[in-house]
Amino acid sequence: MLSTAGFAGIAALIGDPARATMLALLLDGRALTASELAAAAGITPQTASAHLARLTEAGLLAMERQGRHRYHRLASAAVAQMLESIMAVAAGQVAVAPVRPRTGPRDAAMRLLRSCYDHLAGQVAVALADRLAARGQIELSPDGGALTEAGRGFFAEMGLALPEARGGRLICRPCLDWSERRPHLAGRLGTALCGFCLEQGWMRRVGDSRAITVTPLGWQALHQRFALSPQDF
Amino acid sequence: MLSTAGFAGIAALIGDPARATMLALLLDGRALTASELAAAAGITPQTASAHLARLTEAGLLAMERQGRHRYHRLASAAVAQMLESIMAVAAGQVAVAPVRPRTGPRDAAMRLLRSCYDHLAGQVAVALADRLAARGQIELSPDGGALTEAGRGFFAEMGLALPEARGGRLICRPCLDWSERRPHLAGRLGTALCGFCLEQGWMRRVGDSRAITVTPLGWQALHQRFALSPQDF
DNA sequence: GGGATGCTACGGCGCCGGTCGAAGCATGAC
DNA sequence: GTCATGCTTCGACCGGCGCCGTAGCATCCC
């Protein structure tokens, strides 16, 4: 077959626990240094260096040098989507397993709200998508989605600049959440909405994790715009 | 992190060349026996048996016994989509590599038209999607897609029964083609269209490969309905 | 029944690759 | 200049896993 070799090679790269941890850490779209990634994966810098070189060589990561630091990030959205789809399958088989692994408070924050490459994921993100769908502002299915005229007006009134897609239609790609197992907003609309929430000060990244917190101003806005309150979660 | 362990485990399973070959072979959605898969992967039946047991255990494959045969197939569409997304990334890095691996006639047939789990892929499939988009019968983007009113009428006139999605909208998920690097029709519409072409005798599966050929009747229909001719490829 | 076929369980061999220690280069701080 | 920091390269160790041979179990044919 044409691409079986490269196919298995890519998967094998992701298959190593240390590399998988680093890739998962980069899934929020930010760029991290080799040292940070090494510490996160629990390996020495020299080992991480070899891993990062292979990942970059394979086209999964992109690297840019800045002074004596070298920042590594995911090479493309296609890579992020691949990682997400693997996580979705992995989460599915966890659900089959009888043992539900103990989840600490850090995981709780991650499950509530987090960044997913360039958009929002977690309970809040799923709830947002649900509200929009219930109001007929978007239409979602496992296979695709669309923004309705009502939705277009809603976002315009909110002050969110909506990029146009070919054909005059805005696109929202559903992204299967590994914790919720429900689709949420990705695509151009998901990216725009995520950026808007951060710019407006509604949400803030937490430390060096993928977790995101909603600010008091954010809860006010979510309540007003989406009828969502903290006690809903 | 919650799912890093299982995440790497899934990828490691796909990372082995023998298992990757078997999974790629099952990507057309059919169920094959352990012996067939062993022969395709170039390993002995006992080795294949161990591989298949692990893949089934992990929830990637489903197995059903029928007499003294045991048929293995992909466990879900989520698994198929995961494999496709990995192939898309793998194909992308091949394009970066300067060496274009030699492709035989079998690969040529695969590139022209093949099945992709439950829908069509390859040059013909991409051309079909292009025609529909150019006529305004569907709207495609890397993130999602939708069937327009014009498209709904077109398929109804053709005699294709269209399943309804929630919200009254039909969904066509774009699926990035590993050979063409362009989106083609997946989702409910893609599945329905693939089944329709096979039922009408427009296309036929070739042997035990994923390749699909267009019958003379099929070329006639493709010319009439989509203005596509064999010399277009 | 006897024999053939499809598949699986067990044991041992061999090797790929992940790991770290030590050393070598860069870049920046002073 | 001298030193410190961040990262990479090299060499060697070794654990894990893919592989097959042999044997055992289930199913079908005659």
Side-chain angles (χ1 to χ4, degrees):
Chain A
M1 179 144 335
L2 179 69
S3 61
T4 297
F7 171 57
I10 296 291
L13 281 177
I14 310 170
D16 177 74
R19 287 192 293 259
T21 302
M22 294 191 284
L23 289 171
L25 209 66
L26 292 169
L27 199 50
D28 63 356
R30 280 181 303 181
L32 300 177
T33 67
S35 304
E36 292 170 317
L37 290 168
I43 54 180
T44 59
Q46 59 268 29
T47 303
S49 177
H51 285 315
L52 292 170
R54 294 185 58 183
L55 290 171
T56 303
E57 165 84 10
L60 297 187
L61 294 184
M63 190 261 287
E64 45 191 305
R65 45 215 327 160
Q66 206 165 47
R68 59 179 160 181
H69 296 277
R70 282 152 197 224
Y71 288 95
H72 299 266
R73 59 175 174 80
L74 295 190
S76 69
V79 174
Q81 190 169 349
M82 171 185 70
L83 296 177
E84 287 169 14
S85 70
I86 299 175
M87 279 191 175
V89 171
Q93 53 132 22
V94 165
V96 170
V99 182
R100 189 77 176 183
R102 193 69 209 101
T103 56
R106 281 192 52 215
D107 286 324
M110 287 276 286
R111 236 197 314 280
L112 184 65
L113 186 60
R114 64 182 180 277
S115 60
C116 184
Y117 192 60
D118 56 6
H119 57 275
L120 300 173
Q123 295 174 9
V124 173
V126 169
L128 272 174
D130 282 347
R131 292 285 179 191
L132 290 168
R135 291 172 180 169
Q137 289 160 341
I138 62 171
E139 287 165 352
L140 273 186
S141 91
D143 289 329
L147 182 67
T148 64
E149 280 307 315
R152 179 179 297 275
F154 172 74
F155 285 115
E157 189 270 337
M158 202 169 82
L160 173 58
L162 290 176
E164 290 287 331
R166 282 187 318 174
R169 178 179 296 274
L170 259 174
I171 298 302
C172 50
R173 173 174 70 86
C175 174
L176 190 58
D177 196 289
W178 55 261
S179 58
E180 299 300 304
R181 303 284 301 158
R182 308 246 328 270
H184 56 263
L185 279 188
R188 293 164 185 256
L189 179 57
T191 303
L193 183 60
C194 178
F196 185 79
C197 288
L198 293 174
E199 288 168 9
Q200 297 292 314
W202 294 0
M203 303 176 182
R204 229 190 331 257
R205 292 183 185 276
V206 177
D208 53 357
S209 144
R210 290 174 61 194
I212 289 183
T213 54
V214 181
T215 64
L217 175 64
W219 280 121
Q220 196 175 327
L222 289 185
H223 182 69
Q224 177 190 345
R225 307 278 185 182
F226 298 93
L228 289 178
S229 303
Q231 51 265 30
D232 289 338
F233 303 97
Chain B
M1 181 145 336
L2 180 69
S3 61
T4 298
F7 171 57
I10 296 291
L13 281 178
I14 311 170
D16 177 74
R19 286 193 293 259
T21 303
M22 296 191 281
L23 288 171
L25 208 66
L26 292 170
L27 199 51
D28 62 354
R30 280 182 303 182
L32 300 177
T33 67
S35 304
E36 292 171 318
L37 291 168
I43 54 180
T44 59
Q46 57 268 35
T47 303
S49 177
H51 284 314
L52 293 171
R54 293 184 59 184
L55 290 171
T56 303
E57 165 84 10
L60 296 187
L61 295 185
M63 189 260 287
E64 45 190 303
R65 44 209 338 155
Q66 205 165 44
R68 59 179 162 184
H69 296 279
R70 279 149 200 228
Y71 287 94
H72 300 264
R73 59 175 174 79
L74 295 189
S76 69
V79 174
Q81 188 168 352
M82 171 186 69
L83 296 176
E84 286 168 13
S85 70
I86 299 175
M87 279 190 174
V89 171
Q93 53 132 26
V94 164
V96 170
V99 182
R100 190 78 172 182
R102 193 69 210 105
T103 57
R106 281 192 51 214
D107 286 326
M110 286 276 286
R111 238 198 311 281
L112 184 64
L113 186 59
R114 65 182 178 279
S115 60
C116 183
Y117 193 58
D118 56 6
H119 57 275
L120 299 173
Q123 294 173 9
V124 174
V126 168
L128 272 174
D130 283 346
R131 290 289 178 190
L132 290 169
R135 292 171 179 169
Q137 289 157 342
I138 62 170
E139 287 166 351
L140 273 185
S141 91
D143 289 330
L147 182 68
T148 65
E149 280 307 315
R152 178 180 299 273
F154 172 75
F155 285 113
E157 188 271 336
M158 203 168 83
L160 174 57
L162 290 175
E164 290 288 331
R166 282 187 318 172
R169 179 179 296 276
L170 258 174
I171 298 305
C172 52
R173 175 175 68 86
C175 175
L176 191 59
D177 197 287
W178 56 259
S179 58
E180 298 301 304
R181 304 282 302 158
R182 307 242 331 267
H184 55 264
L185 278 190
R188 292 163 186 258
L189 179 57
T191 303
L193 183 60
C194 177
F196 185 79
C197 289
L198 293 174
E199 286 167 12
Q200 299 291 313
W202 293 1
M203 302 176 182
R204 222 182 347 248
R205 293 182 184 276
V206 176
D208 52 358
S209 144
R210 290 173 59 194
I212 288 183
T213 55
V214 181
T215 64
L217 175 65
W219 279 121
Q220 196 177 327
L222 288 184
H223 183 70
Q224 177 189 346
R225 308 277 184 181
F226 299 94
L228 290 179
S229 302
Q231 51 267 28
D232 290 337
F233 303 99

